[in-house]
Amino acid sequence: MRGGSASDAVGVLDRMTAILEAFDHDDRGLGISELALRAGLPKSTVSRLVATLVRQRYLERDGKHLRLGLRVFELGQLAEQPRDLRAAALPVMAELRHRTGGHVHLAIRDRHEMVCIAVMRGNAPAQPIARIGGRLPIHATALGRAVLAHASAASVDEAVAAGLTALTPRTITAPDALRRQLAAVRRSGIAVDVEEFAVGVSCAASPVFAPSGALVAALSVSGRTDRFDADATAAAVRDAAFRLGRRLGGDGPPRG
Amino acid sequence: MRGGSASDAVGVLDRMTAILEAFDHDDRGLGISELALRAGLPKSTVSRLVATLVRQRYLERDGKHLRLGLRVFELGQLAEQPRDLRAAALPVMAELRHRTGGHVHLAIRDRHEMVCIAVMRGNAPAQPIARIGGRLPIHATALGRAVLAHASAASVDEAVAAGLTALTPRTITAPDALRRQLAAVRRSGIAVDVEEFAVGVSCAASPVFAPSGALVAALSVSGRTDRFDADATAAAVRDAAFRLGRRLGGDGPPRG
DNA sequence: GGCGGCTGGTCCATTCAGTGGAACGCGGTC
DNA sequence: GACCGCGTTCCACTGAATGGACCAGCCGCC
């Protein structure tokens, strides 16, 4: 029983996670073979595990198409950190959208990536935005740099070690340039990204601190570069991030 | 290695689901012992499985408190059925809220329960509503009866067999009364619940059919009984449910 | 301080649940 | 008919999962 080829899964649970994470947001139903391929597991193993996951409603099957099931959706709604943050942030985000007209994002850090927790579409015409639950590179987005600027040196090293992949011609890829950027973000309280993540899109983000001083998230507004008033947007974002921070319950347990 | 005491879990995956489902929406962090108790599993087993789940980021640990992790949130956002439905429904729901002022819910059926997929708060003062991801009894809510009315007789039997629990003094608990209700819903196209689920709250719901004719969800508006205009609300809900159905992409694969 | 009760973590012999290659049945297309 | 891909099933093998017992730390109490 040697480990699978992908993500050196060893336990049953690791195999299961390999299966669940083989699902992508744009595929409508995977077959067993495709799933086994993506997860790097033998077909027979996948077939058996999938049967259990379907029984537990973590997967749904429609003929030979498998999809993520209702239970996963339900559980996802129970995750506290995203839920509490969203609840506190939605009014602030709505007002921020109203003030700026741009797309508003809230994201938290997960290792060397940012995970999008809430999105509010502005009246900018197109520019599809990071999905809720989607991941963004930490080095190439204002959201990421807003939190990275206030994180430990080790965190920055980790991000650098993960590779500063270029997503557009303007993406920062030099480690020392990134560090200089982060220092600037610390001074100004605002991180700005001009077409580093997607061509034609600019973004301003600010870190969100809980009353305890803990860094918990980042808030951003993005829009088309040609209509982007960086100064005004930055001021609005910084203000909103500050107000959001004050709304957070000291990040201690509210039920105690 | 006899099975655990709760939910006759036999495989590792079943044990894992028992652990994940031990989390409730209102507890802020569980310890290993409490978790083992709820899941009906030995502490040592829970301790080991939890370690893997934390490593895979399905759980997060903060000292001795365990919470559902980011990965669960991410995966939950990938579940297609809720995501597609929500996307199609949000504009319709917004307009429905605007027309009626009540709380708007969208739910789908899962066996003998309804799972809430989207919620939009109306301007009714209090009356907290079913959470997104929350479950509602199928027999005691307008949402549930709206879909049950158009489901197979076997489905109704299943719901009856699951037990018609009374939640308020007005909850329908007699199987034949329920069946008569369902026939009335079929005739009128609208299900109404007056304080059967919660005292002081009334609700009107309509089934949502895809263009293919498949029954996919239910849409509802709820509000305080003393301000509830059943006829006007019912008309608005029925209209919105019809328009939502037409927005659904024939429930075939949109990417083909 | 010493106790009892709680917490979570770790051992380790036992053994059963999980494994996966091979074989199978099915529904397509060439 | 041969072939290919699909998903499922079989079954001997074995190592991964098990869980009772034990250990260590923490807190409150007497």
Side-chain angles (χ1 to χ4, degrees), chain A residues 10 12-14 16-17 20-21 23-29 49 52-58 60 66-84 86 108-111 115-117 131-135 253-255, chain B residues 10 12-14 16-17 20-21 23-29 49 52-58 60 66-84 86 108-111 115-117 131-135 253-255:
Chain A
V10 286
V12 197
L13 265 57
D14 301 87
M16 180 212 62
T17 61
L20 290 184
E21 281 153 29
F23 287 90
D24 207 346
H25 80 104
D26 51 357
D27 28 58
R28 329 230 125 223
L49 294 186
T52 302
L53 289 172
V54 168
R55 180 163 48 78
Q56 294 286 357
R57 313 186 72 59
Y58 283 59
E60 284 168 8
L66 293 162
R67 303 152 193 263
L68 289 170
L70 256 191
R71 272 255 130 83
V72 185
F73 175 77
E74 285 183 67
L75 282 177
Q77 298 296 330
L78 290 181
E80 297 176 36
Q81 196 189 6
R83 206 187 48 194
D84 294 351
R86 275 176 67 91
I108 62 180
R109 184 186 177 195
D110 184 48
R111 304 191 194 276
V115 177
C116 192
I117 296 299
R131 261 178 26 260
I132 297 180
R135 289 183 171 255
R255 278 178 73 83
Chain B
V10 286
V12 197
L13 265 56
D14 301 86
M16 180 212 63
T17 61
L20 290 184
E21 281 153 30
F23 287 90
D24 206 346
H25 80 103
D26 52 356
D27 29 59
R28 330 229 124 224
L49 294 185
T52 302
L53 289 172
V54 168
R55 179 163 50 77
Q56 294 285 359
R57 313 187 73 57
Y58 283 59
E60 284 169 6
L66 293 162
R67 303 149 193 267
L68 289 169
L70 256 191
R71 274 253 129 84
V72 185
F73 175 77
E74 285 183 68
L75 282 177
Q77 297 297 329
L78 291 182
E80 296 175 36
Q81 196 188 5
R83 206 187 49 196
D84 296 350
R86 274 177 67 91
I108 61 181
R109 183 184 179 199
D110 184 46
R111 305 191 194 277
V115 177
C116 190
I117 296 299
R131 262 178 25 259
I132 297 180
R135 288 182 172 256
R255 280 176 72 82

Side-chain angles (χ1 to χ4, degrees), chain B residues 49-195:
Chain B
L49 294 185
V50 158
T52 302
L53 289 172
V54 168
R55 179 163 50 77
Q56 294 285 359
R57 313 187 73 57
Y58 283 59
L59 293 180
E60 284 169 6
R61 75 185 320 159
D62 167 32
K64 43 186 58 176
H65 292 294
L66 293 162
R67 303 149 193 267
L68 289 169
L70 256 191
R71 274 253 129 84
V72 185
F73 175 77
E74 285 183 68
L75 282 177
Q77 297 297 329
L78 291 182
E80 296 175 36
Q81 196 188 5
R83 206 187 49 196
D84 296 350
L85 254 176
R86 274 177 67 91
L90 287 182
V92 176
M93 291 173 71
E95 205 219 310
L96 183 55
R97 169 176 62 179
H98 180 256
R99 264 179 80 178
T100 63
H103 301 309
V104 181
H105 296 241
L106 179 71
I108 61 181
R109 183 184 179 199
D110 184 46
R111 305 191 194 277
H112 59 89
E113 291 175 308
M114 297 299 289
V115 177
C116 190
I117 296 299
V119 177
M120 235 172 229
R121 290 193 68 108
N123 40 31
Q127 300 307 359
I129 307 220
R131 262 178 25 259
I132 297 180
R135 288 182 172 256
L136 297 168
I138 203 167
H139 70 286
T141 57
L143 281 165
R145 293 205 294 255
V147 305
L148 202 53
H150 299 271
S152 68
S155 294
V156 180
D157 295 340
E158 184 189 350
V160 170
L164 306 182
T165 314
L167 297 162
T168 75
R170 309 184 72 155
T171 306
I172 285 192
T173 57
D176 46 343
L178 177 63
R179 290 177 211 276
R180 278 195 302 272
Q181 269 274 353
L182 296 180
V185 171
R186 268 192 295 279
R187 283 194 302 274
S188 64
I190 273 283
V192 176
D193 132 44
V194 177
E195 310 202 351

